[in-house]
Amino acid sequence: MIREKNFTLTGSNGLPIVTDVFFKPNQRLKPIVIFCHGYKGFKDWGAWDLVAEEFAENDFFFIKFNFSHNGGTAENPIDFPNLEAFGQDNYTKQLNDLQTVIDWMMITKEFAKNANVQQVHLIGHSRGGGIVMLKANEENKIKTVTTWAGVSDFASRFPSGEKLAQWKKNKVYYVENGRTKQQMPHEIQFYEDFLAHRERLDIAQAVKHLKIPQLIIHAKGDTSVKVDEALQIKEWNPKSKLFLLEGSNHVFDTQHPWKSDKMSKSLKQVTQETMQFIKNN
């Protein structure tokens, strides 16, 4: 298997999109799967490498990457050494970064014998789920879209009332990373960009207009993104397929770092369900 890790594409504002590809070099054209991480996430979080390997073993061409402003760098793509970039992240930059990855796959000759550019599929975890639903609606090259614990809207995740007023006054607010204990900044541009592009960032409208197969995977025990959000997405797109896990949690019973050489039972189930869905469509 080929595991080509940590090469860079040029993302928003010239910052790098640090990228991995996993595939078997058997000279067969494979469906391309592009995976988008979530909030305070990164491509190497937890068991995502094991997910990539599982897809590759089953003859998919798997791509995962760090959004350009996720806080990682080309030198250190794990964790958040560049908090200044993190503070300048927003949803439109993430959509543009994902487009950059898609466009790169369309034109690169490096993988031409192993990657089928007519078969591009998106998977997004958590906030990345919102991003892939939006992109699937605006990019006609996408054949299927799958969300893992995906969010159903962005607006409700911004502060409101007094907290919003304070954010506007201070121009920045901080969220502590529970694992690294870093104070992670959110500059007011994040909110201003959302307001300026609210129509493009409307997940409900995107899902209602989807013309491609959609899979919604969510754990009933998710306390970070409630299962109600999955049910709402299903309501917007009755033709979508909904797969609910009993129990489990937002990261499908994994954590970072993940020291096992095997996926958790839940994540294995999620991965298999997704692979089968893509093969069927």
Side-chain angles (χ1 to χ4, degrees):
M1 185 191 299
I2 300 292
R3 300 172 181 84
E4 190 170 329
K5 288 182 66 73
N6 298 331
F7 62 92
T8 60
L9 310 176
T10 302
S12 299
N13 292 350
L15 290 186
I17 300 170
V18 189
T19 308
D20 300 344
V21 296
F22 287 62
F23 66 98
K24 288 194 293 190
N26 53 15
Q27 315 303 300
R28 288 206 302 263
L29 292 180
K30 306 165 189 61
I32 298 167
V33 175
I34 303 175
F35 175 83
C36 295
H37 67 75
Y39 175 57
K40 292 191 287 188
F42 42 91
K43 66 180 179 60
D44 298 306
W45 189 93
W48 294 151
D49 265 3
L50 296 179
V51 169
E53 290 179 359
E54 185 78 2
F55 271 89
E57 285 292 346
N58 284 273
D59 236 18
F60 291 91
F61 188 96
F62 194 91
I63 305 170
K64 56 188 176 74
F65 66 96
N66 282 352
F67 287 109
S68 62
H69 287 66
N70 83 316
T73 62
E75 297 74 28
N76 184 9
I78 296 175
D79 286 338
F80 314 100
N82 190 352
L83 289 180
E84 183 179 350
F86 183 90
Q88 292 298 317
D89 199 9
N90 60 49
Y91 298 127
T92 56
K93 284 174 182 168
Q94 294 197 354
L95 281 171
N96 295 341
D97 286 345
L98 176 52
Q99 189 67 51
T100 295
V101 175
I102 295 167
D103 291 345
W104 164 72
M105 275 309 305
M106 293 299 123
I107 63 173
T108 184
K109 303 300 183 188
E110 185 179 355
F111 308 112
K113 294 182 179 179
N114 285 287
N116 185 354
V117 296
Q118 303 302 316
Q119 284 288 328
V120 181
H121 306 265
L122 300 182
I123 302 173
H125 176 251
S126 193
R127 184 164 86 173
I131 295 297
V132 298
M133 286 185 283
L134 294 173
K135 183 55 66 180
N137 181 54
E138 66 181 28
E139 174 52 80
N140 60 17
K141 296 182 180 70
I142 307 307
K143 298 304 181 186
T144 72
V145 60
T146 298
T147 54
W148 292 359
V151 301
S152 63
D153 83 302
F154 290 143
S156 67
R157 288 172 162 80
F158 287 107
S160 59
E162 179 58 34
K163 289 184 178 180
L164 178 56
Q166 199 67 35
W167 189 16
K168 290 179 178 178
K169 178 182 176 183
N170 296 339
K171 306 299 185 187
V172 64
Y173 82 91
Y174 296 87
V175 174
E176 183 175 289
N177 185 308
R179 181 175 56 82
T180 68
K181 304 306 178 186
Q182 289 167 291
Q183 295 297 318
M184 307 188 76
H186 293 279
E187 303 284 349
I188 192 62
Q189 65 79 30
F190 183 25
Y191 182 63
E192 293 170 344
D193 183 82
F194 172 76
L195 294 180
H197 300 95
R198 195 158 192 163
E199 189 172 332
R200 186 188 185 196
L201 299 173
D202 188 333
I203 295 172
Q205 289 305 308
V207 171
K208 289 174 183 176
H209 288 97
L210 280 178
K211 302 287 195 298
I212 59 173
Q214 178 180 17
L215 173 62
I216 306 157
I217 296 183
H218 218 100
K220 291 182 178 179
D222 191 336
T223 57
S224 298
V225 178
K226 302 288 190 184
V227 71
D228 293 352
E229 299 203 41
L231 301 177
Q232 179 65 80
I233 296 167
K234 172 66 175 176
E235 189 175 312
W236 290 331
N237 182 9
K239 293 182 179 179
S240 62
K241 180 180 180 182
L242 176 64
F243 180 77
L244 298 180
L245 286 87
E246 295 295 334
S248 194
N249 61 14
H250 186 59
V251 289
F252 309 114
D253 302 322
T254 61
Q255 62 184 23
H256 186 82
W258 184 250
K259 297 179 181 179
S260 173
D261 61 356
K262 295 181 180 178
M263 287 185 274
S264 66
K265 181 180 177 182
S266 295
L267 186 57
K268 178 86 169 180
Q269 194 175 5
V270 166
T271 301
Q272 290 178 333
E273 190 73 22
T274 305
M275 289 190 299
Q276 192 60 52
F277 171 76
I278 294 172
K279 287 177 181 177
N280 290 345
N281 290 284

